[in-house]
Amino acid sequence: MLMRTDPFREFDRLAQQVFGPTRPAAMPMDAYRSGDDFVVHFDLPGIDPETIELDVERNVLNVRAERRVPAPQGAEMIVAERPTGTFTRQLFLGDTLDTDRIDASYEAGVLTLRIPVAEAAKPRRIQITGGDSRKQLST
């Protein structure tokens, strides 16, 4: 068995118990464009979907989720390494996205948002109309 030692682990554990988490909770994400949709995946393992809140104001998307302590009230925690508390993230969305039609789903610890590209931002072909044929002048 291989054991990794960290002389400051106990100090960090005590500091977290007294002062709370020492670093902001992470909400890692991937984002890409697929066809006419902008897709964002947020890793939120162990989050109750009822605690996830999404809102958009002036093209700023706010994501908020909460992971509660899994142990019942009064239980003695032996090891508590998983972060708990509130996780937040802001995304600044461009005007080319249709924020009125965002679709959100949560499955297997991943929150997926599909944001359609606005119709005005999609590439479109411009029709060229023909005028009178130009007459060539012979000199």
Side-chain angles (χ1 to χ4, degrees):
M1 177 179 198
L2 181 65
M3 296 190 68
R4 199 176 79 198
T5 60
D6 182 357
F8 300 105
R9 182 180 302 188
E10 188 65 19
F11 178 74
D12 286 343
R13 186 185 65 78
L14 289 172
Q16 283 189 353
Q17 285 179 342
V18 174
F19 302 113
T22 56
R23 60 185 180 271
M27 188 186 296
M29 71 171 212
D30 291 331
Y32 56 90
R33 182 170 175 174
S34 176
D36 289 338
D37 289 334
F38 183 71
V39 181
V40 185
H41 299 289
F42 294 98
D43 279 350
L44 294 171
I47 300 288
D48 179 0
E50 298 291 320
T51 69
I52 299 173
E53 296 177 13
L54 299 170
D55 64 73
V56 177
E57 184 177 344
R58 294 186 181 180
N59 287 358
V60 177
L61 173 70
N62 293 296
V63 182
R64 183 181 180 282
E66 182 180 355
R67 180 183 297 127
R68 298 181 179 112
V69 177
Q73 186 82 12
E76 178 186 358
M77 288 296 289
I78 306 301
V79 177
E81 295 181 345
R82 296 174 46 203
T84 58
T86 302
F87 303 83
T88 59
R89 185 94 188 235
Q90 279 189 333
L91 290 180
F92 295 91
L93 304 175
D95 293 332
T96 60
L97 298 175
D98 187 353
T99 58
D100 292 331
R101 295 183 22 224
I102 295 176
D103 179 55
S105 63
Y106 180 74
E107 185 176 333
V110 178
L111 173 65
T112 300
L113 305 180
R114 290 189 171 279
I115 310 167
V117 174
E119 288 297 322
K122 291 180 184 176
R124 59 191 178 280
R125 187 172 199 98
I126 298 172
Q127 187 70 18
I128 300 173
T129 58
D132 294 340
S133 298
R134 295 186 174 215
K135 297 181 183 177
Q136 291 184 339
L137 298 175
S138 55
T139 54

